[in-house]
Amino acid sequence: MSSGMRVRVAVLAVCMLVAAAVGLWKGWGSATVDPPSPRSVCQLIRPEVFDLLVPRRGPLQAEGEEGSLPGTRSNTCLAESGSAVNGARASLWVALVRYGRHDGQGPQCVKRDWSLLGAINRTNHRVALGDGAVYFVEDDPDTGRVIYLAACLGTYLVYVRYEAVGATDASIVESASTVAQEVLSQL
């Protein structure tokens, strides 16, 4: 075999190896691996916590879903207070999301983009829960205070939305943190 032919064979072999490596890298990076479904989030929170935070609550409403994002599975729990004479009411919605692998991102929750909590004109505050947690509070003239809290632990995200009439910022942060801690302690 001539030296020119050897060079062509070597170049062809290198090109094939590079193409295979790029294909493997691109395929692995865009692979979606769905995780197992998380446990029912309603069962991870003690009934006393629901009773305390959502006075005169109706039955819990639980939903399971494949996950609103590729590579996730989740379920939710909703507790809403019934009508009250003095106007006291509350609503607690909790989601438990389990991350798998998607678009080259590993399943660790804390390494994900938390842009869902980065709402415009909101300031995220950190709280010491799990591997990382943030929240923001907003006022609503009709519902009082509303808190949005997200906490990560390993491959899990606990997302809490709690609204209550007549609550202070400190009490609503403590309430949402308690709910997130209830769930995290059971994982």
Side-chain angles (χ1 to χ4, degrees):
M1 188 184 303
S2 71
S3 65
M5 182 66 121
R6 285 186 204 141
V7 170
R8 281 186 237 159
V9 170
V11 168
L12 180 61
V14 169
C15 288
M16 289 176 61
L17 286 173
V18 169
V22 168
L24 179 63
W25 176 72
K26 297 243 341 139
W28 177 253
S30 64
T32 296
V33 178
D34 289 325
S37 295
R39 294 172 49 194
S40 170
V41 72
C42 288
Q43 296 174 357
L44 300 178
I45 303 168
R46 292 175 292 152
E48 304 86 60
V49 173
F50 284 115
D51 293 341
L52 180 65
L53 298 180
V54 186
R56 301 173 45 109
R57 70 175 170 88
L60 298 176
Q61 301 169 35
E63 290 185 23
E65 43 186 85
E66 286 301 304
S68 55
L69 301 171
T72 65
R73 300 227 177 167
S74 63
N75 63 65
T76 62
C77 185
L78 174 65
E80 294 180 297
S81 60
S83 60
V85 177
N86 62 1
R89 65 187 184 283
S91 172
L92 176 62
W93 180 83
V94 183
L96 179 59
V97 180
R98 186 144 192 210
Y99 284 106
R101 191 172 190 298
H102 181 68
D103 281 345
Q105 293 184 330
Q108 280 192 314
C109 171
V110 78
K111 292 186 178 180
R112 295 292 177 119
D113 178 20
W114 288 14
S115 59
L116 66 117
L117 218 56
I120 297 172
N121 295 327
R122 303 283 192 276
T123 302
N124 287 340
H125 304 279
R126 296 214 174 270
V127 64
L129 283 173
D131 295 334
V134 294
Y135 71 89
F136 70 86
V137 177
E138 66 181 18
D139 292 319
D140 186 310
D142 297 327
T143 60
R145 298 260 192 301
V146 181
I147 185 170
Y148 300 86
L149 183 139
C152 283
L153 182 65
T155 61
Y156 291 96
L157 167 69
V158 178
Y159 188 69
V160 178
R161 181 185 182 279
Y162 178 56
E163 62 181 282
V165 172
T168 64
D169 283 354
S171 68
I172 204 163
V173 169
E174 184 177 341
S175 298
S177 297
T178 298
V179 171
Q181 186 60 47
E182 282 277 313
V183 176
L184 293 173
S185 69
Q186 298 293 320
L187 299 178

XYZ file of all heavy atoms in Angstrom, residues 20-90:
515
model
N -18.418 9.198 15.148
C -19.019 8.321 16.154
C -19.030 8.991 17.525
O -20.021 8.923 18.253
C -18.266 6.993 16.209
N -17.930 9.654 17.879
C -17.864 10.338 19.180
C -18.876 11.472 19.260
O -19.556 11.638 20.274
C -16.450 10.865 19.423
N -18.989 12.259 18.192
C -19.954 13.364 18.177
C -21.377 12.820 18.257
O -22.216 13.331 18.999
C -19.761 14.255 16.923
C -20.929 15.214 16.743
C -18.453 15.021 17.024
N -21.666 11.760 17.521
C -22.999 11.150 17.565
C -23.348 10.628 18.943
O -24.448 10.827 19.437
N -22.385 9.957 19.567
C -22.606 9.450 20.923
C -22.812 10.592 21.900
O -23.720 10.563 22.729
C -21.419 8.582 21.358
C -21.510 7.996 22.766
C -22.693 7.053 22.868
C -20.217 7.284 23.124
N -21.981 11.623 21.801
C -22.099 12.774 22.704
C -23.445 13.462 22.529
O -24.126 13.776 23.494
C -20.947 13.735 22.443
C -21.013 14.989 23.252
C -20.778 15.120 24.586
C -21.356 16.288 22.788
N -20.941 16.420 24.976
C -21.303 17.162 23.883
C -21.693 16.794 21.539
C -21.591 18.502 23.771
C -21.962 18.136 21.435
C -21.913 18.978 22.543
N -23.859 13.697 21.284
C -25.138 14.375 21.020
C -26.299 13.500 21.467
O -27.269 13.982 22.034
C -25.274 14.740 19.547
C -24.233 15.707 19.094
C -24.565 17.030 18.624
C -25.850 17.469 18.172
N -26.167 18.784 18.636
N -26.219 12.198 21.190
C -27.293 11.287 21.583
C -27.424 11.187 23.090
O -28.522 11.214 23.641
N -26.298 11.093 23.791
C -26.317 11.009 25.250
C -26.820 12.308 25.851
O -27.597 12.311 26.787
C -24.917 10.703 25.765
C -24.821 10.672 27.252
C -24.247 11.597 28.055
C -25.329 9.671 28.123
N -24.350 11.254 29.367
C -25.016 10.063 29.441
C -26.016 8.486 27.929
C -25.376 9.300 30.537
C -26.352 7.733 29.037
C -26.035 8.140 30.313
N -26.415 13.417 25.278
C -26.830 14.716 25.810
C -28.300 14.986 25.652
O -28.913 15.653 26.472
N -28.926 14.460 24.608
C -30.340 14.747 24.404
C -31.234 13.605 24.866
O -32.440 13.670 24.697
C -30.604 15.051 22.923
O -30.327 13.913 22.144
N -30.662 12.568 25.430
C -31.467 11.438 25.893
C -32.332 11.849 27.076
O -31.907 12.605 27.942
C -30.555 10.284 26.303
N -33.552 11.364 27.066
C -34.454 11.600 28.185
C -34.651 10.281 28.916
O -34.999 9.275 28.300
C -35.812 12.136 27.703
O -35.603 13.407 27.091
C -36.796 12.279 28.848
N -34.414 10.304 30.209
C -34.633 9.135 31.046
C -35.640 9.535 32.104
O -35.355 10.382 32.962
C -33.317 8.655 31.703
C -33.585 7.471 32.615
C -32.295 8.310 30.648
N -36.842 8.969 32.004
C -37.876 9.284 32.984
C -37.594 8.556 34.294
O -37.251 7.377 34.295
C -39.254 8.884 32.464
C -39.723 9.782 31.336
O -39.401 10.982 31.378
O -40.400 9.290 30.420
N -37.740 9.270 35.412
C -37.488 8.654 36.714
C -38.710 7.856 37.171
O -39.785 7.976 36.591
C -37.295 9.878 37.613
C -38.203 10.895 37.006
C -38.120 10.675 35.521
N -38.560 7.067 38.229
C -39.738 6.423 38.813
C -40.664 7.495 39.398
O -40.225 8.589 39.746
C -39.169 5.548 39.933
C -37.686 5.601 39.804
C -37.327 6.718 38.905
N -41.933 7.180 39.506
C -42.888 8.131 40.073
C -42.594 8.348 41.553
O -42.253 7.405 42.267
C -44.319 7.619 39.927
O -44.663 7.555 38.572
N -42.734 9.589 42.017
C -42.541 9.838 43.450
C -43.747 9.351 44.248
O -44.813 9.088 43.687
C -42.410 11.357 43.526
C -43.153 11.864 42.343
C -43.018 10.809 41.276
N -43.570 9.245 45.535
C -44.683 8.869 46.414
C -45.747 9.951 46.399
O -45.480 11.100 46.063
C -44.161 8.677 47.835
C -43.225 7.493 47.929
C -42.526 7.371 49.255
N -43.396 7.475 50.399
C -42.950 7.657 51.645
N -41.667 7.752 51.869
N -43.787 7.752 52.637
N -46.948 9.609 46.799
C -48.039 10.577 46.864
C -47.701 11.657 47.881
O -47.438 11.376 49.050
C -49.339 9.888 47.270
O -50.327 10.853 47.556
N -47.687 12.906 47.440
C -47.285 14.008 48.318
C -48.310 14.237 49.432
O -47.943 14.644 50.529
C -46.989 15.286 47.505
C -48.241 15.907 46.950
C -46.217 16.294 48.327
N -49.584 13.975 49.195
C -50.599 14.150 50.251
C -50.293 13.264 51.460
O -50.531 13.655 52.599
C -51.993 13.822 49.723
S -52.687 15.019 48.578
N -49.764 12.072 51.202
C -49.473 11.129 52.280
C -48.204 11.473 53.044
O -47.955 10.916 54.105
C -49.373 9.715 51.721
C -50.666 9.223 51.134
C -50.512 7.881 50.456
O -49.417 7.330 50.372
N -51.620 7.346 49.966
N -47.400 12.387 52.515
C -46.150 12.752 53.172
C -46.315 13.906 54.159
O -45.372 14.250 54.866
C -45.092 13.129 52.125
C -44.731 12.030 51.124
C -43.725 12.550 50.114
C -44.198 10.802 51.841
N -47.500 14.493 54.201
C -47.771 15.624 55.097
C -48.801 15.168 56.133
O -49.849 14.638 55.770
C -48.297 16.839 54.304
C -47.294 17.228 53.217
C -48.581 18.014 55.236
C -47.832 18.220 52.200
N -48.472 15.389 57.398
C -49.393 14.971 58.463
C -50.718 15.721 58.373
O -50.741 16.916 58.051
C -48.768 15.215 59.834
C -47.583 14.320 60.128
C -46.922 14.655 61.431
N -46.296 15.974 61.292
C -46.097 16.814 62.294
N -46.470 16.498 63.515
N -45.524 17.984 62.085
N -51.829 15.056 58.658
C -53.147 15.714 58.623
C -53.217 16.935 59.542
O -53.898 17.915 59.223
C -54.115 14.618 59.093
C -53.411 13.333 58.818
C -51.947 13.627 58.960
N -52.488 16.908 60.666
C -52.505 18.042 61.592
C -51.948 19.305 60.939
O -52.380 20.419 61.239
C -51.678 17.754 62.856
C -52.062 16.516 63.626
C -51.395 15.245 63.111
O -50.151 15.138 63.090
O -52.146 14.344 62.722
N -50.967 19.139 60.057
C -50.385 20.295 59.368
C -51.419 20.905 58.432
O -51.611 22.122 58.401
C -49.101 19.899 58.609
C -48.591 21.049 57.755
C -48.030 19.440 59.589
N -52.118 20.062 57.677
C -53.187 20.563 56.819
C -54.258 21.273 57.640
O -54.718 22.362 57.280
C -53.842 19.428 56.022
C -53.038 18.934 54.872
C -52.548 17.636 54.860
C -52.786 19.739 53.771
C -51.820 17.157 53.782
C -52.064 19.275 52.689
C -51.576 17.980 52.706
N -54.665 20.659 58.760
C -55.718 21.237 59.595
C -55.312 22.588 60.174
O -56.131 23.501 60.272
C -56.078 20.279 60.741
C -56.731 18.996 60.237
O -57.226 18.989 59.091
O -56.713 18.006 60.981
N -54.061 22.734 60.549
C -53.571 23.976 61.130
C -53.457 25.090 60.083
O -53.872 26.229 60.330
C -52.207 23.743 61.792
C -51.561 24.950 62.450
C -52.404 25.416 63.632
C -50.155 24.617 62.903
N -52.917 24.769 58.905
C -52.656 25.786 57.890
C -53.871 26.116 57.022
O -53.940 27.204 56.451
C -51.493 25.359 56.997
C -50.151 25.171 57.688
C -49.094 24.752 56.681
C -49.735 26.431 58.421
N -54.787 25.170 56.898
C -55.967 25.374 56.049
C -57.211 25.099 56.888
O -57.760 23.996 56.886
C -55.913 24.458 54.802
C -57.057 24.797 53.860
C -54.583 24.573 54.087
N -57.674 26.125 57.640
C -58.822 25.912 58.520
C -60.083 25.536 57.739
O -60.303 26.017 56.635
C -58.997 27.265 59.219
C -58.161 28.232 58.488
C -57.204 27.488 57.641
N -60.856 24.645 58.329
C -62.124 24.191 57.733
C -61.915 23.666 56.306
O -62.710 23.934 55.419
C -63.155 25.306 57.749
C -63.466 25.815 59.154
C -64.357 27.040 59.137
N -65.481 26.913 58.219
C -66.747 26.763 58.580
N -67.057 26.743 59.848
N -67.698 26.677 57.680
N -60.832 22.910 56.139
C -60.492 22.428 54.804
C -61.459 21.338 54.349
O -61.994 20.584 55.139
C -59.066 21.919 54.747
C -58.837 20.620 55.504
C -57.424 20.112 55.290
N -57.115 19.005 56.176
C -57.358 17.737 55.894
N -57.931 17.410 54.767
N -57.037 16.792 56.764
N -61.614 21.280 53.044
C -62.377 20.205 52.429
C -61.466 19.007 52.222
O -60.326 18.984 52.707
N -61.934 18.021 51.479
C -61.087 16.850 51.221
C -59.863 17.221 50.381
O -59.914 18.140 49.561
C -62.001 15.899 50.455
C -63.166 16.696 50.016
C -63.247 17.917 50.863
N -58.782 16.498 50.596
C -57.562 16.725 49.831
C -57.777 16.280 48.392
O -58.424 15.276 48.128
C -56.393 15.941 50.427
C -55.999 16.306 51.854
C -54.894 15.375 52.349
C -55.567 17.750 51.940
N -57.227 17.056 47.471
C -57.329 16.730 46.053
C -55.932 16.375 45.558
O -55.052 17.225 45.512
C -57.879 17.919 45.273
C -59.252 18.351 45.747
C -59.658 19.686 45.138
O -59.332 19.970 43.998
N -60.355 20.496 45.916
N -55.754 15.107 45.209
C -54.442 14.630 44.766
C -54.487 14.312 43.286
O -55.487 13.800 42.787
C -54.045 13.389 45.554
N -53.396 14.639 42.601
C -53.271 14.323 41.188
C -51.871 13.809 40.915
O -50.903 14.332 41.445
C -53.507 15.568 40.321
C -54.925 16.051 40.318
C -55.136 17.209 39.350
O -54.337 17.346 38.400
O -56.088 17.955 39.555
N -51.788 12.807 40.080
C -50.500 12.314 39.617
C -50.365 12.651 38.152
O -51.345 12.711 37.429
N -49.166 12.900 37.725
C -48.946 13.227 36.324
C -47.581 12.725 35.894
O -46.721 12.450 36.715
C -49.096 14.720 36.069
C -48.443 15.599 37.116
C -48.725 17.073 36.907
O -49.766 17.541 37.379
O -47.889 17.718 36.286
N -47.394 12.613 34.620
C -46.113 12.178 34.079
C -45.036 13.223 34.298
O -43.877 12.949 34.239
C -46.245 11.866 32.590
C -46.977 10.577 32.330
C -46.294 9.382 32.963
O -45.107 9.145 32.697
O -46.956 8.679 33.735
N -45.415 14.436 34.503
C -44.459 15.521 34.656
C -44.687 16.537 33.564
O -44.890 16.186 32.404
N -44.698 17.781 33.944
C -44.941 18.828 32.959
C -43.688 19.119 32.144
O -43.771 19.721 31.085
C -45.425 20.091 33.663
O -44.507 20.479 34.656
N -42.537 18.678 32.611
C -41.276 18.860 31.893
C -40.751 17.496 31.462
O -40.916 16.514 32.187
C -40.245 19.540 32.793
C -40.606 20.908 33.337
C -39.586 21.342 34.372
C -40.698 21.918 32.215
N -40.098 17.419 30.304
C -39.520 16.129 29.891
C -38.526 15.629 30.933
O -37.766 16.400 31.501
C -38.802 16.462 28.574
C -39.404 17.735 28.095
C -39.855 18.473 29.320
N -38.555 14.328 31.182
C -37.625 13.743 32.138
C -38.026 13.938 33.583
O -37.192 13.810 34.472
N -39.299 14.264 33.842
C -39.778 14.426 35.220
C -41.051 13.618 35.425
O -41.761 13.296 34.481
C -40.095 15.893 35.560
O -41.196 16.342 34.770
C -38.902 16.785 35.354
N -41.317 13.320 36.664
C -42.601 12.747 37.087
C -42.996 13.486 38.350
O -42.144 13.852 39.152
C -42.481 11.264 37.387
C -42.036 10.489 36.188
C -42.841 9.308 35.963
N -42.351 8.704 34.725
C -42.666 7.524 34.338
N -43.467 6.802 35.054
N -42.208 7.041 33.213
N -44.277 13.712 38.523
C -44.693 14.490 39.688
C -46.097 14.107 40.115
O -46.830 13.428 39.396
C -44.640 15.989 39.365
O -45.549 16.298 38.337
N -46.440 14.559 41.306
C -47.819 14.501 41.764
C -48.063 15.706 42.658
O -47.126 16.329 43.158
C -48.140 13.167 42.449
C -47.341 12.926 43.689
O -47.474 13.641 44.668
N -46.491 11.913 43.669
N -49.327 16.051 42.815
C -49.680 17.259 43.552
C -50.747 16.962 44.591
O -51.432 15.935 44.528
C -50.212 18.361 42.604
O -51.415 17.894 41.970
C -49.184 18.736 41.552
N -50.877 17.895 45.521
C -51.892 17.808 46.559
C -52.424 19.217 46.802
O -51.650 20.164 46.931
C -51.279 17.243 47.839
S -52.491 16.949 49.148
N -53.730 19.349 46.865
C -54.371 20.639 47.081
C -55.331 20.543 48.259
O -56.132 19.613 48.334
C -55.139 21.073 45.829
C -55.988 22.337 45.933
C -55.119 23.573 46.181
C -56.834 22.514 44.683
N -55.222 21.517 49.163
C -56.151 21.650 50.279
C -56.683 23.080 50.261
O -55.897 24.027 50.210
C -55.462 21.357 51.608
N -57.997 23.222 50.283
C -58.611 24.547 50.290
C -59.606 24.624 51.431
O -60.318 23.661 51.711
C -59.331 24.825 48.969
C -58.407 24.913 47.786
C -59.155 25.191 46.493
O -59.972 24.343 46.100
O -58.906 26.256 45.909
N -59.643 25.789 52.077
C -60.583 25.960 53.177
C -61.973 26.226 52.615
O -62.125 26.793 51.534
C -60.148 27.098 54.095
O -60.077 28.312 53.390
N -62.957 25.794 53.384
C -64.337 26.079 53.022
C -64.651 27.525 53.367
O -63.824 28.261 53.901
N -65.843 27.941 53.056
C -66.222 29.326 53.364
C -66.292 29.521 54.871
O -66.713 28.656 55.609
C -67.565 29.654 52.714
O -68.561 28.784 53.204
N -65.825 30.692 55.294
C -65.816 31.018 56.717
C -66.546 32.344 56.919
O -66.486 33.231 56.074
C -64.388 31.124 57.236
N -67.203 32.456 58.048
C -67.979 33.656 58.347
C -67.069 34.872 58.507
O -67.365 35.954 58.020
C -68.804 33.435 59.635
C -69.558 34.691 60.014
C -69.750 32.275 59.461
N -65.923 34.704 59.143
C -65.041 35.843 59.419
C -64.067 36.148 58.271
O -63.213 37.004 58.404
C -64.260 35.605 60.709
C -63.367 34.385 60.623
O -63.301 33.710 59.596
N -62.679 34.099 61.712
N -64.175 35.439 57.140
C -63.324 35.708 55.987
C -61.992 35.000 56.006
O -61.221 35.135 55.066
N -61.693 34.252 57.077
C -60.424 33.519 57.138
C -60.486 32.356 56.158
O -61.404 31.554 56.183
C -60.177 33.005 58.550
N -59.537 32.317 55.272
C -59.470 31.213 54.327
C -58.010 31.021 53.918
O -57.199 31.922 54.041
C -60.361 31.439 53.116
C -59.953 32.598 52.252
C -60.997 32.871 51.150
N -60.555 33.925 50.285
C -60.595 35.218 50.577
N -61.056 35.606 51.732
N -60.166 36.128 49.721
N -57.746 29.834 53.396
C -56.390 29.525 52.973
C -56.432 28.452 51.897
O -57.418 27.730 51.755
C -55.565 29.050 54.166
